[in-house]
Amino acid sequence: MNYLPRNNILIFYFLILPFTAFAQVEERRFVELKSEPELRLAPGEQNQLIVSFLIKEGYHIQANRVKDENLIPTKLSFESAEGLRIGDPVYPQADEFRMEGVKEPLAVFGDTLKIQLPVKLINTMGKQRFLIKGQFYYQPCDASKCYYPREFDFNLSIRVKQ
Amino acid sequence: MTLRIISISLVVLLFASAGLVDNGAIAQGKEEVSVDGSSAPEFSLPDLKGEQVSSDDYKGKYVVIHIATTWCPFCNAEAPHLEQLNQDYEDKNVKVLIIDVKEPKDLVKTKLKDRFNLSFPVLLDSDGSVAASFAPEGVLPDLARDEVMLASNILIDPDGKIQFFSLLDSQNFDAKLVDLKAKLDELLASE
């Protein structure tokens, strides 16, 4: 009888231990969305939606146009939505970054990355709000190491002006 | 009795948690990374012709291994120097290998082997498991084990022991392989 509680405690101990390990090893994050992108449009109206990403201090990501064809350019994409026309993203001018031992400077984005997105509301489709899935694909580096390319999924919101 | 066991369990958990935090912190300091002299993991991987290449094939030789991807600017910067090292040391019982991680064969052939005219084997580690097997335990715990190894250089001696190991997560990128060659020269001179 006395063995039952002890066994339960041991089982609890062995079950909980791996979770304590996972809890303390968070995956490294390089980019965050500054705030959920949102735009208000009247039917027929076109405007620029600004999508802002914060690139963590000490890191940069490859620009949308890279000088070395081997590198992976940043890409912002969206799913299509009936009633909306989303134009090609307009990226800011890239910074130059010189890496130790690499001859040509790299074209990169750092700090805050603001991408303009032309959006036109063609038809409200009877909606008050469109929620569009976006994907940000980027390859992060720091001064001495590059990391696997990563995807960042988020939503952008287009509200219909009443 | 039950209360005592609960108390002991909690204390053990507390120490286990503290130990994990501490190990992570130590691992971030590059000075703490030391795998020199340890046995290199064994591997067997296909090359770009589809032929299997094994670590056993290199027993009795010095092997320089660079862990690479095509999109890694450090790897691209280092590739010509690896080729030069291969040519300069090929008659000194030294072999050079690139282990490319998680990329398709055609891409690696075009963007690495052909682009840099590499005369030494490029092996395909399609799931990253071989690269991961070289990663020192506890180093950069927030990265995948194979990711830790990207752009690293390893020198293995004829007995299969690691004699030089550089993770790229340092502020002193050595594209020209100055430190690795110095170690190689030292080992060759001591024979």
Side-chain angles (χ1 to χ4, degrees):
Chain A
M1 284 295 284
N2 216 8
Y3 285 98
L4 193 61
R6 184 185 295 181
N7 285 346
N8 283 347
I9 287 162
L10 285 173
I11 289 166
F12 165 78
Y13 167 74
F14 283 114
L15 282 176
I16 204 79
L17 187 60
F19 290 103
T20 63
F22 280 121
Q24 291 168 56
V25 182
E26 281 186 25
E27 190 184 343
R28 190 175 300 195
R29 298 186 68 177
F30 303 94
V31 172
E32 287 177 357
L33 200 61
K34 197 167 182 181
S35 58
E36 186 177 283
E38 190 173 79
L39 191 63
R40 285 180 178 272
L41 289 175
E45 184 185 2
Q46 177 171 325
N47 211 333
Q48 300 285 338
L49 174 64
I50 307 292
V51 187
S52 297
F53 296 96
L54 290 174
I55 298 159
K56 289 239 166 157
E57 191 179 350
Y59 297 101
H60 57 265
I61 62 175
Q62 306 301 336
N64 59 310
R65 289 191 181 141
V66 290
K67 293 179 179 176
D68 181 341
E69 61 169 19
N70 273 21
L71 304 183
I72 295 176
T74 287
K75 188 180 176 187
L76 180 65
S77 57
F78 293 92
E79 67 177 11
S80 57
E82 201 174 354
L84 284 176
R85 186 188 298 149
I86 302 177
D88 292 334
V90 180
Y91 297 85
Q93 190 174 1
D95 299 323
E96 283 200 339
F97 186 83
R98 285 201 170 271
M99 277 181 148
E100 187 71 29
V102 178
K103 275 185 190 171
E104 294 294 320
L106 306 178
V108 303
F109 296 130
D111 301 325
T112 302
L113 170 62
K114 290 184 178 177
I115 303 173
Q116 291 182 30
L117 202 65
V119 183
K120 184 171 186 178
L121 178 58
I122 298 166
N123 189 331
T124 65
M125 307 299 292
K127 297 178 182 177
Q128 292 187 328
R129 186 189 185 204
F130 293 80
L131 207 59
I132 314 295
K133 283 185 179 171
Q135 191 175 74
F136 188 62
Y137 184 65
Y138 65 97
Q139 186 210 327
C141 298
D142 57 29
S144 57
K145 190 173 176 71
C146 283
Y147 304 87
Y148 282 133
R150 276 146 164 97
E151 286 175 357
F152 184 95
D153 294 326
F154 62 97
N155 290 318
L156 67 84
S157 167
I158 309 295
R159 291 186 184 274
V160 177
K161 279 184 190 171
Q162 299 299 322
Chain B
M1 183 66 178
T2 304
L3 195 65
R4 192 176 161 197
I5 292 171
I6 288 173
S7 303
I8 292 168
S9 296
L10 287 173
V11 169
V12 169
L13 276 172
L14 193 67
F15 275 98
S17 306
L20 283 163
V21 171
D22 194 36
N23 285 342
I26 288 169
Q28 299 295 341
K30 304 318 300 169
E31 304 78 19
E32 305 294 336
V33 179
S34 178
V35 293
D36 295 357
S38 62
S39 293
E42 296 189 351
F43 61 85
S44 180
L45 291 170
D47 64 12
L48 293 174
K49 293 174 189 163
E51 291 171 7
Q52 209 66 17
V53 176
S54 161
S55 49
D56 284 345
D57 302 338
Y58 295 91
K59 287 273 162 68
K61 298 178 174 69
Y62 289 97
V63 192
V64 174
I65 298 176
H66 178 59
I67 312 276
T69 63
T70 58
W71 47 258
C72 162
F74 300 101
C75 309
N76 293 334
E78 196 172 307
H81 299 288
L82 281 166
E83 175 57 29
Q84 192 61 51
L85 186 147
N86 184 54
Q87 291 177 20
D88 293 346
Y89 287 80
E90 65 180 345
D91 59 350
K92 297 175 183 171
N93 197 32
V94 178
K95 298 292 175 189
V96 177
L97 287 175
I98 281 182
I99 294 179
D100 183 276
V101 186
K102 290 182 174 174
E103 292 189 302
K105 184 172 77 174
D106 291 346
L107 182 82
V108 177
K109 183 178 183 311
T110 308
K111 291 195 166 185
L112 204 55
K113 178 97 173 170
D114 294 349
R115 181 183 180 187
F116 296 107
N117 202 20
L118 303 177
S119 60
F120 54 82
V122 178
L123 310 184
L124 299 170
D125 185 11
S126 56
D127 64 0
S129 58
V130 170
S133 71
F134 279 95
E137 197 176 339
V139 173
L140 302 171
D142 56 340
L143 296 178
R145 294 295 80 199
D146 49 314
E147 191 168 28
V148 168
M149 291 303 298
L150 296 181
S152 297
N153 293 314
I154 303 150
L155 170 60
I156 302 170
D157 71 14
D159 297 324
K161 304 283 186 196
I162 294 174
Q163 293 293 344
F164 180 92
F165 187 98
S166 74
L167 283 176
L168 188 52
D169 197 28
S170 72
Q171 295 304 309
N172 302 303
F173 176 50
D174 184 14
K176 293 179 181 172
L177 304 162
V178 174
D179 292 343
L180 189 147
K181 283 194 279 189
K183 182 68 180 177
L184 194 49
D185 290 339
E186 179 191 320
L187 291 166
L188 290 168
S190 66
E191 283 187 337

